[in-house]
Amino acid sequence: MTAAALEVEGVRLRVGEVGVSEFALDLPILRLQPGERIAVVGPSGCGKSMLLEFLALLMRPERVDRFVLATADDDRRDLAGDIAAGRIDALAHLRAGPLGYVPQSGGVLPFLTARAHASSGLRLAGHAGNPVARARFDRLAERLGVGAHLDKTREQLSGGQRKRVALLAGMSVPRRVLLADEPTTGLDAASGTAVMELLSRLAADEGTAVLIATHDADTAYRAGFAVRPLEHGAFWHEALQVVF
């Protein structure tokens, strides 16, 4: 069997005040294979964003037994020790390479052009001068419908264009794992479909494991995502099986 792109076990996430506004999410096991496409669905407040923030190394869990990320073909790192100890800042560099994350509120920084914002991943990964990487970036920009808008500032972009620029930033370099929180929010139906299809194509063409949180289950399913519910405070994904 191909080694997993991401393998997480024994996780408990908790936010809020115990006994008052407490919310807990259990993640017994999650394995994402290269090229796998998973759409996590569920009602607002069920923990979808919290799940993605944890997987994006932005949240310290109450417990984590394993967090193994493929950082290269022959390198798989167990980050559980650093995560459990709260050394999450030391892992931030991984979001510039193998682990991509597009937050729900992702947009364009006010002091950058759309191009500068979206291509920041290329610079951080040392690919800014690589013609192959630049050509890939330009192709993605065109497929997202923002190729003609990259020299604009945030104020010159519509809300939907800002969303697509944020997605371009997340896709700007090839990833082992790409996480996207509500990638179609604020987009019209045609743009939402195009975004879902592009995320699916990245998985198929580049072997990226793509995990999204979405309310748009139908569009995700049509684009080839396996739709999995998150409810009752637990999510368990193993070989495309969900158990509560």
Side-chain angles (χ1 to χ4, degrees):
M1 178 182 293
T2 304
L6 180 66
E7 186 173 356
V8 177
E9 294 182 11
V11 174
R12 183 167 180 82
L13 305 171
R14 188 193 301 272
V15 295
E17 185 179 350
V18 176
V20 181
S21 57
E22 178 186 16
F23 180 85
L25 174 66
D26 291 317
L27 183 61
I29 187 168
L30 169 64
R31 291 192 181 98
L32 295 177
Q33 299 297 328
E36 192 166 15
R37 295 157 289 178
I38 301 296
V40 181
V41 300
S44 297
C46 73
K48 298 189 300 297
S49 293
M50 184 167 68
L51 171 65
L52 263 64
E53 287 177 8
F54 163 69
L55 295 176
L57 303 173
L58 292 169
M59 172 183 281
R60 182 181 181 181
E62 183 177 276
R63 171 189 168 188
V64 55
D65 293 339
R66 279 170 58 82
F67 191 113
V68 177
L69 175 68
T71 57
D73 289 337
D74 56 353
D75 185 14
R76 300 174 74 246
R77 294 180 55 192
D78 190 347
L79 311 176
D82 285 334
I83 295 170
R87 295 190 291 268
I88 296 177
D89 288 349
L91 304 174
H93 67 282
L94 295 173
R95 291 193 298 276
L99 182 63
Y101 173 57
V102 182
Q104 181 174 353
S105 59
V108 180
L109 295 173
F111 49 85
L112 295 176
T113 64
R115 185 186 304 278
H117 177 91
S119 64
S120 59
L122 287 177
R123 295 193 300 275
L124 290 172
H127 298 322
N130 184 318
V132 175
R134 296 298 309 189
R136 176 184 176 277
F137 176 87
D138 290 341
R139 287 196 302 271
L140 290 172
E142 291 300 323
R143 292 198 63 179
L144 286 166
V146 295
H149 305 287
L150 291 178
D151 294 321
K152 295 180 178 179
T153 62
R154 184 176 71 175
E155 290 72 20
Q156 296 170 313
L157 297 169
S158 69
Q161 288 167 345
R162 294 176 191 174
K163 181 77 172 187
R164 283 174 282 159
V165 168
L167 286 162
L168 178 60
M171 301 176 187
S172 61
V173 296
R175 309 287 191 178
R176 297 289 171 168
V177 178
L178 179 60
L179 310 166
D181 194 356
E182 299 289 355
T184 61
T185 296
L187 302 181
D188 58 60
S191 296
T193 296
V195 163
M196 285 290 193
E197 290 177 347
L198 182 54
L199 289 168
S200 185
R201 179 52 56 188
L202 279 182
D205 290 350
E206 300 184 357
T208 302
V210 179
L211 177 68
I212 66 173
T214 183
H215 283 90
D216 197 356
D218 289 343
T219 301
Y221 179 77
R222 289 194 299 271
F225 282 80
V227 178
R228 299 291 178 247
L230 191 158
E231 51 191 19
H232 308 311
F235 183 68
W236 184 330
H237 173 64
E238 168 59 273
L240 300 185
Q241 300 296 316
V242 179
V243 179
F244 298 106

